[in-house]
Amino acid sequence: MSRILKVLIFIVGIFVFFEVGLFASYSVISSDGVNVDEIISTQIDEVNDFIGSLTGKKTLSEQETLNVTNDDKVALILNNMTNLSVNLGSVTAKVSSGDDGNQTVTLTAIATKDTQITSGGAILIVPEQTYSITATATGEVYSSGKVEIDTTTIALKEKMVLYNQNSTNTAGGSIDNLVQYAQNNTTNNNTTMANNTTKKTRA
């Protein structure tokens, strides 16, 4: 018997011994019967995660965005829902689970509200406002990192203004108003306290 064959038989023996011990311990701990498929599937997943950690491959839930195979249809649906122009290249999809199959997908995209202006006799279409859109949908997620969205399940969750040409920084304006409001309240409170102190002194 060759040396390589002996090594292979030794490895197979260790593997069989390990599996028998695992099934025996599972049957002792669990009151239910041994679910062979579940145990093997769990081991395969753990091996895949270990290999992925060595190769640097990210799981589906860790990827910044999945490859949306029907992004053109998704963008069209978002256009109709928001009455905006969605940037096709900005459509991203993310899942919270590392498993493949049918599951909920979070969609994000950048869209603009366009306006027409006349310049030199020509009509130009320029973005008046820029929006960030967030939606959810059901999608078929593949282990390769691709996802096909069921466009009939798309539900709009948020539409937020990022830029408005009539107000250079919408968010900043809101913060400025909040700061101004706080300062006015502080000034009014200080004035009221000073008046009350004056009245008490006179009394």
Side-chain angles (χ1 to χ4, degrees):
M1 185 180 294
S2 67
R3 192 172 188 180
I4 297 177
L5 184 58
K6 289 181 180 179
V7 173
L8 290 177
I9 293 175
F10 178 73
I11 293 174
V12 171
I14 292 178
F15 177 76
V16 171
F17 179 78
F18 174 78
E19 291 296 315
V20 171
L22 181 63
F23 291 147
S25 61
Y26 184 88
S27 60
V28 171
I29 295 174
S30 176
S31 58
D32 300 331
V34 178
N35 190 335
V36 178
D37 292 338
E38 181 180 353
I39 294 177
I40 294 177
S41 176
T42 301
Q43 292 181 79
I44 292 175
D45 291 340
E46 290 178 354
V47 171
N48 289 334
D49 291 341
F50 177 72
I51 295 175
S53 64
L54 293 178
T55 59
K57 182 180 178 181
K58 294 182 178 181
T59 62
L60 293 172
S61 59
E62 292 174 337
Q63 295 184 30
E64 292 298 327
T65 179
L66 302 178
N67 181 12
V68 182
T69 58
N70 56 340
D71 54 355
D72 53 342
K73 295 180 180 179
V74 172
L76 181 60
I77 295 296
L78 293 176
N79 283 346
N80 296 334
M81 284 184 169
T82 60
N83 292 322
L84 301 172
S85 298
V86 174
N87 182 350
L88 183 62
S90 70
V91 177
T92 63
K94 189 170 177 59
V95 292
S96 57
S97 170
D99 301 327
D100 55 6
N102 203 39
Q103 58 181 292
T104 301
V105 180
T106 300
L107 300 169
T108 58
I110 301 298
T112 57
K113 181 179 180 181
D114 300 331
T115 185
Q116 292 184 355
I117 62 172
T118 302
S119 177
I123 298 177
L124 303 177
I125 298 178
V126 296
E128 181 180 14
Q129 293 175 329
T130 303
Y131 291 81
S132 172
I133 298 174
T134 304
T136 58
T138 301
E140 184 68 24
V141 181
Y142 300 94
S143 57
S144 60
K146 295 182 179 180
V147 56
E148 183 176 359
I149 303 298
D150 182 357
T151 54
T152 62
T153 63
I154 296 178
L156 185 65
K157 292 300 180 183
E158 184 181 49
K159 185 175 71 173
M160 181 174 64
V161 178
L162 298 179
Y163 171 78
N164 186 345
Q165 72 170 4
N166 297 321
S167 177
T168 304
N169 190 335
T170 304
S174 301
I175 294 174
D176 290 341
N177 291 336
L178 182 60
V179 172
Q180 185 63 40
Y181 175 78
Q183 290 176 344
N184 290 340
N185 279 349
T186 302
T187 303
N188 292 336
N189 289 337
N190 290 338
T191 302
T192 302
M193 292 176 62
N195 291 337
N196 292 337
T197 303
T198 303
K199 291 180 180 179
K200 290 180 180 179
T201 302
R202 291 178 178 176

